[in-house]
Amino acid sequence: MEQKVDIRELNERIQRESSFVDLISMEMNKVIVGQKHLVESLLIGLLSDGHILLEGVPGLAKTLAINTLAQTIDAKFARIQFTPDLLPADLLGTMIYSQKKEEFMVRKGPIFTNFVLADEINRAPAKVQSALLEAMQERQITISDHTYKLDRLFLVMATQNPIEQEGTYRLPEAQVDRFMLKVVLNYPKKEEEKLIIQLNLLKQFPRASAVVSPADIVRAREVVKEVYMDEKIQKYIIDIVFATREPAEHGLAKFKEMITYGASPRASISLAQASKAYAFIKRRGYVIPEDIRAVCHDVLRHRIGLSYEAEANNLTAEEIISEILNTVEVP
Amino acid sequence: MLKLKYLLLMLIPLCVLNPVLAQQVKVSASLERDSIWLGDQIRMILVAEYPEGVKLTFPEPKDSLGYGVEVLSRSARDSSRIGGGLIQMRQSYVITAFDSGPHPIKPFLFAGQANNRADTVRSNALSLFVKVPDVDLKKGFADIKKPYKAPVTFKEVAPWILGIILIASIVFLILYAINRRRKNIPLFTMPAKPKLPPHVVALSELDKLKEEQLWQQDKVKDYYTRLTDIIRTYLEERYEVPAMEQTTQEILSQFKGETTQIKGKLYSGLQKTLDIADLVKFAKSTPLPDENHFVMVHAYSLVEETKPETLETVKKQTLPNTETSVEKIISGPNEIEKQS
């Protein structure tokens, strides 16, 4: 299907509309030292209307990052600590009886906000995870017989701790698939950590100021949707996703026994949306193969099922994705 | 009485004529040896010589020749002309005996017939002595000896060896076929053609692309796709970098720096070509005709100037004006002919 689009005009529009990206980045960089990939991933999720699953050890500024993002956008933020005794009602809200009015009233849960940090999502039982993930997908919540729409600007950033697995409830594959990106956080560099120490010792914590409104983000999302993606790029996405499903047919027979299931069609959609958002961040009105490669690991790493054989060989999803990118022909 | 007279009258011609037939037919029986060990086997031969007109009937000994001599096997009868109008017929028998002592063999009777005359001729009698080994009873009884193991001959082993080779070949072929199938390789492949040097392939492809005049027909995207594929394939083959699986930035970063062969104007030209191509391929850009021309000129320059040193030297000896040759190749097909 040929898309009729004026790239020159689109580029100019993106130059105008994406000016806030630099402002948000600057404000976030004032507060968060390092973690540029996290900031970029948050922006991709924000602009492509996708949710983010974060994996990293404690203390890597996960909460601070999303809190700062909320401040820069002048949006509401809620942090929910997931625990084994958490109930869906604690998250979504419930009906409470008002003795004064002698009727049941709705008390909305913390999920009615713009940015949600679902901390250690795998500590809560499946029913709570399911309630959150359903809200993420449907963008609405039903309490009793009333359905409430969530804000148009709604971003969930869930975290998982990779080192403590005892007493956790592993997220089912079908639910993990609903996160557009899975971002793996690493420790800061030496210089960055030195700066973190200095800021903490001096008790000088810069505060981010609001530089953009939620309405601007919603408008920017519409522009992101218009970013041009050529058929060649679409074919490149399909080739990559199919390589995860049928590795042998893409010259990767060695992974045939290592992959139990490949990426879903939702992965193809997410890859396309995330690459469009990445192109927007880079001030471009069209997607190039570099954009696909930039977001590919984050989009695919939680969507590839590894076999016991792969685990025995210490083969990770990261390595498989890298190998696929090195094998699939770039248009 | 009268009957007896007639009978005598009929026997008289027979008594006169029979000795004549018997004189013409000679029969004999012989043994290879006179004596054998108990159970040993020996060949007995019967020979008859008779004129061509005589019809001779050979004796047909049964399985036993009497007195404990047994016939084990017999050969086919063999006849041959021995000259003088005589025919010699012979037959041999393998015989044995399991009783010790002398064994007489009765004469054999041969029946002959010629010109309505019949007679029988007797062979000589034979005697076969069967010996028993001397047993020293003083030494006591010895154990029964086990059968000797006969050495294995090649004739016996050959079918087994051939069978094993055949089964091994079939198993190997099946495994080979499975392995090829797993790797998605056809079972039988034609021998690969000798590979042309990358610059030869690239120049040939560039010539083809130029002749097709794609951008002149508004097929700009196809033109740039083909052109960048030619350049990337050339770089991949020439420098062994996975250029076909790399993005523009990754390709450029491979050749960044002064140490590589692609530097200065060549590098900036490559960068410009790939950037324009990206815009055409992914951003619906329509470059100017000059840019379309430039990328082709640069592609030729890139290939010509990064050819292997040896070929470059040869080329310099034959075509000293390299730079002008590239320009002339670009300007039109007629110029190529002039150059060559």
Side-chain angles (χ1 to χ4, degrees), chain A residues 2-5 7 228 230 232-233 248-249 286-290 293 325-331, chain B residues 182-184 221 225 229 232 242-250 278-285:
Chain A
E2 190 66 20
Q3 193 181 343
K4 289 193 174 177
V5 59
I7 299 287
Y228 175 68
D230 195 82
K232 282 177 183 289
I233 299 289
E249 287 171 27
Y286 54 93
V287 180
I288 56 173
E290 272 93 345
R293 290 167 87 98
L325 290 178
N326 289 336
T327 308
V328 174
E329 211 167 276
V330 174
Chain B
R182 271 188 193 159
K183 289 178 181 172
N184 246 348
K221 198 171 173 179
T225 304
D229 281 353
R232 286 158 70 198
M244 287 305 284
E245 289 78 32
Q246 287 182 330
T247 61
T248 297
Q249 287 309 312
E250 286 167 342
D278 276 358
L279 285 170
V280 175
K281 287 194 288 183
F282 310 125
K284 287 188 162 187
S285 171

Side-chain angles (χ1 to χ4, degrees), chain B residues 52-331:
Chain B
E52 279 185 27
V54 176
K55 189 181 175 187
L56 193 74
T57 308
F58 244 67
E60 297 280 354
K62 302 258 171 73
D63 291 344
S64 173
L65 298 177
Y67 306 109
V69 179
E70 292 175 20
V71 177
L72 299 175
S73 65
R74 62 197 71 201
S75 71
R77 277 175 205 149
D78 184 23
S79 62
S80 58
R81 291 174 197 281
I82 56 170
L86 291 174
I87 291 171
Q88 187 187 65
M89 186 173 282
R90 57 192 296 140
Q91 187 172 20
S92 65
Y93 300 84
V94 177
I95 59 170
T96 188
F98 294 98
D99 285 331
S100 60
H103 293 275
I105 299 170
K106 287 179 184 174
F108 295 93
L109 290 176
F110 292 76
Q113 197 178 357
N115 301 328
N116 295 327
R117 289 173 296 168
D119 194 6
T120 53
V121 183
R122 283 170 182 270
S123 73
N124 54 309
L126 295 170
S127 177
L128 177 67
F129 188 81
V130 178
K131 298 180 285 185
V132 180
D134 292 334
V135 180
D136 189 358
L137 295 172
K138 289 176 186 171
K139 287 184 179 174
F141 293 102
D143 282 340
I144 296 168
K145 285 195 174 179
K146 286 182 180 174
Y148 285 109
K149 279 188 179 173
V152 180
T153 61
F154 180 74
K155 199 177 172 183
E156 288 171 328
V157 180
W160 290 97
I161 293 172
L162 288 172
I164 290 167
I165 290 170
L166 190 71
I167 291 166
S169 307
I170 291 167
V171 170
F172 173 76
L173 275 174
I174 291 167
L175 291 175
Y176 179 75
I178 291 168
N179 193 33
R180 302 275 288 190
R181 195 165 196 174
R182 271 188 193 159
K183 289 178 181 172
N184 246 348
I185 308 168
L187 195 58
F188 302 105
T189 47
M190 296 291 284
K193 284 181 185 174
K195 213 173 179 184
L196 290 168
H199 65 275
V200 175
V201 179
L203 289 173
S204 153
E205 291 291 317
L206 286 172
D207 288 344
K208 264 192 232 169
L209 181 63
K210 197 162 76 68
E211 279 170 26
E212 284 177 33
Q213 297 193 320
L214 289 175
W215 68 265
Q216 290 89 338
Q217 298 167 39
D218 287 340
K219 293 177 182 172
V220 183
K221 198 171 173 179
D222 291 344
Y223 173 71
Y224 276 90
T225 304
R226 287 266 302 277
L227 186 83
T228 48
D229 281 353
I230 293 167
I231 293 173
R232 286 158 70 198
T233 308
Y234 171 70
L235 293 175
E236 187 160 316
E237 299 283 321
R238 173 74 180 84
Y239 295 103
E240 293 179 352
V241 294
M244 287 305 284
E245 289 78 32
Q246 287 182 330
T247 61
T248 297
Q249 287 309 312
E250 286 167 342
I251 293 169
L252 291 172
S253 66
Q254 295 257 359
F255 297 101
K256 211 167 188 177
E258 288 298 306
T259 51
T260 62
Q261 285 185 331
I262 302 171
K263 56 190 174 188
K265 278 185 180 177
L266 269 187
Y267 182 82
S268 58
L270 177 66
Q271 189 173 21
K272 192 176 174 184
T273 302
L274 294 177
D275 284 344
I276 295 171
D278 276 358
L279 285 170
V280 175
K281 287 194 288 183
F282 310 125
K284 287 188 162 187
S285 171
T286 311
L288 297 168
D290 281 355
E291 287 175 318
N292 297 337
H293 184 69
F294 165 81
V295 292
M296 182 59 89
V297 173
H298 171 264
Y300 273 109
S301 306
L302 180 76
V303 178
E304 286 287 348
E305 290 178 36
T306 55
K307 283 198 298 193
E309 288 298 318
T310 47
L311 291 174
E312 188 66 26
T313 315
V314 173
K315 190 177 146 292
K316 274 180 185 169
Q317 285 167 357
T318 51
L319 288 167
N321 197 358
T322 312
E323 286 180 11
T324 52
S325 68
V326 172
E327 286 300 323
K328 287 187 178 180
I329 285 167
I330 300 308
S331 55

